[in-house]
Amino acid sequence: MDNMDKEPTFIPPQESASKRPDFSRAVESLQRMSVRDIGFLDIVSDLEDVKERAEGFSEEEKEKARVALKKILIALPPWRRGANFVSQNLENLAYTPEEQENLAMLRAETEARQAEVEREVAEGASPWLARVKHNEQNALNPVAVGFYQMPDGQIRTIFGSRYFQSKRQIKTEGLFFGGRSEDKEVNLLSTKFQAVDRSEIIRSPLFDLLPEDLRMRIERGEILVTGEKDLYDLSEPEIENLAASKDISAVPNHVENKIANAGKEKQYYLLYQSDYHSDETGRTGVLMAIEDGKAEPVVITVGDKQFVLEIKGCGKKGGGFGRMHHRTGRDIITGGAEREQAVNEFDRLSEMADDDAPKAVASILFDNHGYQQGYILRLTPSTIRASYSSNEVYPAIDSPEQVSEILDVYTQELAEQVFAPNPKILDRSSHSENILLWGDGKHTFTDFSDHVAFSDTHYPHEESHGGYMTPRQMLEYYIKMVEEIPGYQAERDKKLFLQSLKTAFAQKGYNVSLEENEDYAGITKRLWEGGIAYQVFSARRSNNYRAEGVVEEFRKSVTDEYHQRELSLASEQDFVEKYESGFQKILTALDILQRVEADSSKMSRIRGLVESKDLPGLLKNLDQIYKVWQEGKNLNEDEKRNIYEAISYFSGLEYTLIRVVKRYLEHEHDVIFSAESSAPTGEQTVVGEARKEIDGKMQELETTLGNPQDLFRKFTDPNWVKSFVSLNCYHQ
């Protein structure tokens, strides 16, 4: 008889536990695992083991498994592999029959609400408003996660899981912001008042609407920062106890009890959003007051509209301010904001005129051990961003329908910015994570500190992480960053994107022609010449623009000790001698390169420029010389070194003395020439005069570069440079 014909072995019940495999190993492994390990270790293999053996568990083993599995569901965001596996495969083991019945009822109610949401959205309602309208607090939406201003102007609290995702389609190459996590959590953080040094308050009239106790402490030189307690956070013992419960409302009830026990006297807390299990990125929270056992947002009414009070730069999740970290190409204190950011944010918010839009309250500037820090108080109608997902109150943002919705918002926001009374554009922050939504289809871009006015005197300037930042460069980044919209697919959505752009610009009175086969630079060029360049020209003219950033960048370059030494800037005589010597060395270098370069006519042409001491011509061809040198064919080490020194002198000369001014004039030439094509009829003469002025400046620069004495006298005099880059066309 073969094995298939053998009778199955009967194992009496009392012997089964010792005869069958060890069913409890995986369960005990999960029980022993800390919450942190559950979050970061791969526990799916243990869960698969539980699933495979679950039918043979005794009642005692089932209870152990239930507690271990429920611990996972409490500790992890629902989309994490472990929690998702339990939900999909082991929910009948994680919950008692009574809990499963209650869950089924809640899910049926959720489905009914979702059906109503879908019906309203199909009829034209905002997908965010529809979800907020039907949002309810229950065991599936246990805690307050944010706020939303309804069309009637009233603030509504929104409830959900404390975990959510904020999605962006970021390519890893050329990333400005470094790595980021999509997984987020909501915190309810305690606060403390902290005295700051040399406090300066920039305030709007809305400052007087702050709670009196908060206003008085700020006026005394204190700020409210995060403390060390998070009422939404659950400790290891808390999670163990809640996992043992057989009530699906155990978690929300426990959090409510924590809030109720926080104290009867008023205390300030912050409803705060941060990276899941990380303390590196958060710095903004909505002010909450806990009093008589209840947590409520501090709501401020302006006219007939309600707002919540948001504090930016209020500290990190773990309390207070942390170490310096690299963010957006610069070092910034963890949990804080820079002084410059706080000033710019206040200015940009103060320009917002709509009665339901975000508003400036105050920016506080202070010294933190030499670090110039900022702290921002603003009124906001909402905490919902267009990138938020993975929570009942947020839509599936990467669906084709939602991509279409966000594309309309994205293009409208560009047109609103560049055609505003004080036109501006976002500096590389134009992603959907910064699109704020409220009411029935209302929206704006946040990160107001990154809104750059076209008349901002600090621009253009060089930035290590973005290049030469001009309005045109920022526009190109804006157009490229459409690809960060979750779910955006160029082959499917580019046509819709271009149509949305054309519609948004047409609504502002500008008709632009955009072709689907054009790349981002081509689209940028059409928008630039189709109206935006004129907006830059007009804004600078209206605000008596002076290129202060250019002057400061030049000053730093020309006064640098290394540059002074390398170019012999101590005296005119030393400079001219080194200049003449530089031409002699480059001639010698060309003699050598003509010997090794197959295309000797190229070197002969460049030699003619050098012999006539045509500095502009030489600088334009310096890369050609460098390329031949780099190939290094038939060159000995001495020849390589001498050629490199000759190239380096002129490269340094251009970088230190010429680059800043020349690049700025080229930028203004682009602004003014491009503005001509879209300037109103009445402004054509003004733009024409500006064109003559910039042409004259470009010619004067060429003439100056041809005379080493003039080059030294003018380009070592910051006052001359300041005057030279100040265009009369911008000073009415």
Side-chain angles (χ1 to χ4, degrees):
M1 186 188 306
D2 60 29
N3 288 337
M4 294 296 293
D5 296 325
K6 287 182 179 178
E7 291 287 329
T9 302
F10 173 72
I11 302 175
Q14 67 270 24
E15 298 179 25
S16 61
S18 59
K19 298 281 185 180
R20 66 174 183 253
D22 181 3
F23 294 138
S24 62
R25 183 203 62 78
V27 173
E28 289 175 355
S29 172
L30 293 170
Q31 281 182 314
R32 290 193 303 269
M33 204 172 286
S34 70
V35 171
R36 182 174 180 81
D37 286 345
I38 287 174
F40 288 98
L41 297 180
D42 186 359
I43 59 174
V44 172
S45 59
D46 284 328
L47 293 172
E48 288 173 338
D49 196 23
V50 172
K51 179 185 176 183
E52 183 180 340
R53 293 169 167 77
E55 289 186 8
F57 279 12
S58 68
E59 289 303 313
E60 181 183 353
E61 288 169 333
K62 284 182 180 179
E63 179 59 20
K64 288 181 179 180
R66 187 187 69 79
V67 174
L69 297 177
K70 210 166 184 184
K71 177 179 173 181
I72 293 168
L73 293 175
I74 293 171
L76 291 184
W79 57 86
R80 286 283 176 120
R81 287 188 66 207
N84 186 59
F85 187 94
V86 174
S87 296
Q88 296 295 320
N89 300 280
L90 294 168
E91 203 169 74
N92 63 330
L93 193 58
Y95 293 107
T96 65
E98 183 180 355
E99 286 178 303
Q100 291 177 52
E101 184 178 339
N102 290 333
L103 274 173
M105 290 175 57
L106 284 175
R107 286 168 177 162
E109 293 170 2
T110 299
E111 288 177 9
R113 289 198 303 273
Q114 184 62 29
E116 281 297 299
V117 168
E118 290 175 1
R119 180 186 62 79
E120 292 179 14
V121 171
E123 293 174 356
S126 158
W128 294 277
L129 173 61
R131 282 167 173 78
V132 172
K133 278 176 60 180
H134 295 283
N135 178 243
E136 293 181 5
Q137 184 177 21
N138 56 35
L140 300 178
N141 298 321
V143 295
V145 296
F147 306 96
Y148 193 89
Q149 188 191 90
M150 303 299 284
D152 64 1
Q154 302 299 293
I155 286 290
R156 179 175 292 189
T157 302
I158 52 179
F159 299 94
S161 162
R162 70 176 297 219
Y163 302 115
F164 68 103
Q165 291 184 303
S166 183
K167 295 185 176 182
R168 287 168 60 189
Q169 287 187 164
I170 299 181
K171 295 179 180 178
T172 55
E173 291 182 27
L175 223 126
F176 293 134
F177 297 91
R180 71 179 293 275
S181 170
E182 289 188 344
D183 295 354
K184 307 293 180 182
E185 65 182 32
V186 182
N187 317 99
L188 186 58
L189 303 179
S190 63
T191 64
K192 59 186 178 182
F193 282 98
Q194 175 177 310
V196 294
D197 290 337
R198 293 187 284 281
S199 172
E200 175 188 348
I201 305 173
I202 307 172
R203 66 185 81 191
S204 79
L206 299 177
F207 184 77
D208 293 335
L209 299 181
L210 292 177
E212 184 178 3
D213 57 340
L214 176 63
R215 190 177 71 249
M216 290 177 64
R217 299 290 289 263
I218 290 173
E219 288 176 330
R220 289 208 300 261
E222 298 177 76
I223 59 173
L224 190 71
V225 301
T226 52
E228 297 178 356
K229 184 164 57 176
D230 178 4
L231 296 185
Y232 283 178
D233 189 44
L234 300 174
S235 66
E236 193 90 31
E238 286 176 298
I239 291 175
E240 296 281 359
N241 290 334
L242 291 168
S245 168
K246 297 180 180 180
D247 180 3
I248 60 169
S249 296
V251 172
N253 291 341
H254 179 70
V255 173
E256 281 190 17
N257 287 335
K258 289 173 75 173
I259 293 172
N261 294 328
K264 290 189 175 181
E265 294 187 4
K266 185 173 83 170
Q267 299 177 59
Y268 286 125
Y269 276 71
L270 288 163
L271 194 73
Y272 186 100
Q273 295 173 341
S274 64
D275 282 359
Y276 172 68
H277 276 196
S278 173
D279 204 8
E280 290 296 314
T281 58
R283 57 174 177 171
T284 303
V286 171
L287 188 65
M288 306 284 288
I290 294 184
E291 192 170 13
D292 295 328
K294 293 183 179 180
E296 299 288 346
V298 172
V299 174
I300 293 177
T301 303
V302 182
D304 61 350
K305 308 296 183 187
Q306 290 184 340
F307 300 84
V308 291
L309 178 63
E310 209 166 41
I311 304 176
K312 182 175 179 178
C314 61
K316 59 189 180 71
K317 178 168 55 180
F321 302 111
R323 60 181 176 79
M324 301 296 288
H325 71 278
H326 204 62
R327 180 187 179 118
T328 327
R330 60 190 185 275
D331 290 325
I332 190 168
I333 195 166
T334 302
E338 292 176 304
R339 178 188 183 98
E340 183 181 337
Q341 287 181 313
V343 172
N344 196 49
E345 179 135 349
F346 184 90
D347 290 343
R348 299 289 78 79
L349 277 170
S350 297
E351 295 167 359
M352 302 192 75
D354 290 352
D355 60 356
D356 58 353
K359 302 184 186 307
V361 175
S363 280
I364 300 161
L365 317 176
F366 60 96
D367 182 270
N368 184 358
H369 300 91
Y371 179 78
Q372 298 304 301
Q373 198 161 329
Y375 181 91
I376 300 153
L377 296 103
R378 63 193 183 199
L379 301 185
T380 183
S382 172
T383 58
I384 292 182
R385 309 289 181 92
S387 63
Y388 289 1
S389 184
S390 307
N391 209 315
E392 184 188 317
V393 77
Y394 306 133
I397 58 170
D398 47 7
S399 68
E401 297 79 15
Q402 203 61 34
V403 171
S404 174
E405 183 93 19
I406 295 175
L407 280 174
D408 280 344
V409 171
Y410 193 77
T411 54
Q412 288 169 27
E413 281 299 323
L414 175 62
E416 287 296 329
Q417 288 182 47
V418 300
F419 296 113
N422 185 20
K424 55 187 174 290
I425 193 167
L426 270 171
D427 180 5
R428 288 154 297 159
S429 294
S430 56
H431 44 77
S432 57
E433 192 170 45
N434 277 335
I435 295 175
L436 183 74
L437 304 135
W438 73 95
D440 192 1
K442 302 301 290 289
H443 49 77
T444 191
F445 265 113
T446 60
D447 238 353
F448 304 96
S449 59
D450 288 337
H451 290 232
V452 177
F454 287 162
S455 58
D456 191 327
T457 59
H458 294 95
Y459 289 82
H461 63 238
E462 178 75 25
E463 292 187 3
S464 60
H465 62 297
Y468 192 51
M469 298 311 300
T470 67
R472 180 167 181 165
Q473 181 63 70
M474 287 182 257
L475 174 63
E476 185 167 342
Y477 280 131
Y478 192 110
I479 299 303
K480 285 181 178 178
M481 288 177 74
V482 69
E483 292 192 341
E484 290 195 12
I485 293 175
Y488 178 86
Q489 298 175 22
E491 62 275 14
R492 182 192 68 199
D493 300 318
K494 186 176 181 181
K495 184 176 181 179
L496 179 60
F497 173 49
L498 298 183
Q499 184 56 54
S500 295
L501 277 172
K502 287 192 279 190
T503 300
F505 273 61
Q507 289 171 347
K508 296 298 181 180
Y510 290 83
N511 294 312
V512 292
S513 175
L514 301 172
E515 301 296 332
E516 198 172 348
N517 61 355
E518 289 181 306
D519 60 11
Y520 292 123
I523 296 168
T524 300
K525 182 176 186 293
R526 287 183 180 269
L527 296 176
W528 179 250
E529 295 175 352
I532 296 179
Y534 176 73
Q535 289 296 105
V536 175
F537 176 81
S538 179
R540 290 179 174 178
R541 182 169 165 79
S542 299
N543 289 277
N544 295 309
Y545 169 81
R546 294 182 186 278
E548 293 174 4
V550 173
V551 174
E552 178 61 16
E553 190 176 353
F554 175 81
R555 185 195 64 78
K556 288 180 179 178
S557 179
V558 81
T559 57
D560 180 85
E561 288 185 9
Y562 174 81
H563 294 160
Q564 288 264 332
R565 183 172 62 255
E566 288 299 300
L567 296 180
S568 298
L569 297 178
S571 71
E572 181 178 326
Q573 181 179 345
D574 290 345
F575 173 80
V576 173
E577 286 178 0
K578 189 149 193 174
Y579 180 91
E580 297 292 348
S581 173
F583 272 101
Q584 289 300 318
K585 288 180 178 179
I586 204 77
L587 277 173
T588 302
L590 289 170
D591 286 339
I592 300 169
L593 292 174
Q594 275 186 287
R595 171 172 54 82
V596 299
E597 171 60 16
D599 185 3
S600 59
S601 61
K602 184 193 302 180
M603 291 297 106
S604 296
R605 181 177 56 80
I606 298 174
R607 183 182 182 85
L609 297 172
V610 174
E611 288 175 342
S612 62
K613 295 187 178 176
D614 181 354
L615 180 60
L618 170 61
L619 295 179
K620 288 176 184 175
N621 288 276
L622 207 56
D623 284 345
Q624 295 287 341
I625 303 174
Y626 180 81
K627 184 178 179 181
V628 177
W629 167 82
Q630 196 173 36
E631 291 172 355
K633 296 176 182 175
N634 303 316
L635 294 175
N636 62 44
E637 290 304 313
D638 286 341
E639 288 173 332
K640 287 181 180 179
R641 185 176 60 255
N642 292 336
I643 295 169
Y644 178 76
E645 287 177 359
I647 296 170
S648 295
Y649 170 74
F650 285 101
S651 177
L653 179 67
E654 180 179 41
Y655 183 86
T656 303
L657 288 188
I658 302 165
R659 173 186 58 97
V660 175
V661 172
K662 182 174 181 287
R663 189 167 54 174
Y664 170 66
L665 292 183
E666 289 170 345
H667 158 66
E668 287 294 1
H669 188 272
D670 179 39
V671 169
I672 294 166
F673 273 58
S674 299
E676 278 194 304
S677 57
S678 61
T681 304
E683 291 292 303
Q684 290 286 344
T685 301
V686 173
V687 179
E689 290 299 317
R691 179 172 179 169
K692 292 178 184 176
E693 182 182 9
I694 195 67
D695 279 342
K697 294 280 187 180
M698 300 287 283
Q699 183 57 52
E700 184 178 352
L701 177 63
E702 289 282 312
T703 303
T704 300
L705 296 184
N707 185 310
Q709 288 80 7
D710 270 0
L711 181 61
F712 177 84
R713 292 167 191 163
K714 291 178 178 179
F715 279 80
T716 57
D717 180 0
N719 289 328
W720 179 86
V721 171
K722 182 176 181 179
S723 174
F724 185 62
V725 299
S726 295
L727 302 182
N728 293 329
C729 61
Y730 291 148
H731 308 136
Q732 301 182 57

